[in-house]
Amino acid sequence: MASIDLDSLITESRNTKTLNIDEVNTIDMVKMINEEDKIVPLAVEKELHNIACAIDRIVERLQMGGRLIYIGAGTSGRLGILDASECPPTYGVSEELVQGIIAGGHEAIFRAKEGAEDSKELGIDDLKEKNINSKDVVVGLAASGRTPYVIGGLEYANSIDAFTIAVTCNGESDLSKVAKISIAPVVGPEVVTGSTRLKSGTAQKLVLNMLSTGTMIKLGKVYGNLMVDVKPTNEKLVERAKGIIQSCTRCSRMVAEEYFEKSNRDVKIAIFMILTEKSREESIIILNENKGIITKALEAVSKGE
C-alpha cells in the first residue's frame, strides 16, 4: 500500500506559532487558540463566491425534487450529520430532504471508526444505498481533501449526473478536483498538529451553515429573517411560533394565538391568513402556487392573480 504524503497537506503541517503551547500558562494557551480561530472567518470569506454558486445549484436541484446529501468521515462526517439533522425542526422540511452520511455508519457518529474512510467502495456503496439520482446534490466533506471514502462517493455521484460539491481546507486537493464546485477555506496549520476538528472543523461548520441556511431562505423557509416554517414541537417552539406570527403581522398576542390555531398550527399559513384576510384553504392554494414563498404569494394577491 502506497504511503500517504501528509507533508503536502497544510492541514497536517506544524504551526510555528504554537510550538510551545504545552509549556505556557492556561490563559496564554487559550489566547493562542483564540488567535488561530480568528483566521477562520477570513478564510471562509475568500470562498463566498463559490458558496453562493453552490447554494444556487442546490436550490435548483431541490426544486426539481432532488435532495441534499452530505458525505464525510470523522469530524467532517459528523458535521454533515449535525447540519442535516437540524434542518427539519428549523425549516419544517422532511428528514429525507437533507441527509448526512458518515464513513462507518451510525456507530461512527459517537465513536471514531477512522479506518472506514480508506475505502472508495464504501463511499460508493453508502450513496447507492440512498438511491441517489441525477436530481440530487452530493457534498463531499473532508478537511484534508484526500479521503478515499469521500472521493469515491463524489466520483460515483458524478457518474450518474448528480451535482457534486467539495468542502475542504486544502487548496487544489484531490477532492476539489473531482467536484463540480470546490469550496476550500484554507485556515492553515492547526494549533495541535493534524487535529482538524479545530480550525478546519470550524471552517466546515461555517460553510455548512451558509449552504443550508442560504438554501432554505431561497426556498421560502424564511420571511424577513424569521423561520416561518418552524415546527412547533415543544413548548418553547410554540411560543416562538406565536412570536413569529406577531412579528411578521404586527398583530396582537390574542390574534396570533387565534390564527395559530386556525391555521392548524402552521406559522406560514397563519401569517398569510392575517396579512391577506384569506381563508386557510385559499392561503394554502396561493402559497403552493408560489412555491411557499410568502413575498411572491403576497405580490400575486396584490396583482389579483
Side-chain angles (χ1 to χ4, degrees), residues 65 68 209 227:
L68 172 58
N209 284 350
M227 300 180 289

Side-chain angles (χ1 to χ4, degrees), residues 142-272:
S144 67
R146 60 146 301 277
T147 308
Y149 174 86
V150 183
I151 292 172
L154 258 62
E155 287 175 341
Y156 171 69
N158 282 334
S159 74
I160 62 164
D161 246 2
F163 196 87
T164 53
I165 299 167
V167 180
T168 178
C169 292
N170 276 303
E172 299 299 314
S173 68
D174 292 342
L175 185 63
S176 293
K177 293 170 185 174
V178 170
K180 292 172 183 173
I181 292 179
S182 170
I183 301 169
V186 179
V187 296
E190 298 288 0
V191 167
V192 175
T193 305
S195 182
T196 52
R197 72 184 186 89
L198 300 175
K199 288 190 296 183
S200 295
T202 302
Q204 289 179 92
K205 180 68 170 71
L206 291 178
V207 170
L208 292 178
N209 284 350
M210 289 186 187
L211 291 180
S212 58
T213 302
T215 295
M216 295 303 161
I217 291 170
K218 298 202 78 170
L219 289 175
K221 304 296 181 180
V222 174
Y223 180 53
N225 63 353
L226 296 170
M227 300 180 289
V228 291
D229 273 326
V230 64
K231 293 300 180 188
T233 52
N234 60 34
E235 290 183 13
K236 180 189 76 173
L237 293 176
V238 166
E239 291 306 306
R240 178 180 291 169
K242 293 174 182 177
I244 290 171
I245 294 169
Q246 280 187 273
S247 295
C248 287
T249 65
R250 298 183 180 177
C251 70
S252 68
R253 176 73 174 186
M254 185 181 297
V255 170
E257 290 177 346
E258 176 188 351
Y259 278 84
F260 180 62
E261 297 302 334
K262 278 186 176 180
S263 66
N264 197 23
R265 297 192 158 206
D266 188 303
V267 175
K268 181 182 285 182
I269 294 172
I271 292 166
F272 196 75

Side-chain angles (χ1 to χ4, degrees), residues 80-98:
I81 288 170
L82 173 63
D83 196 75
S85 67
E86 291 177 342
C87 287
T90 307
Y91 299 111
V93 298
S94 75
E95 293 181 358
E96 298 295 314
L97 188 69
V98 186

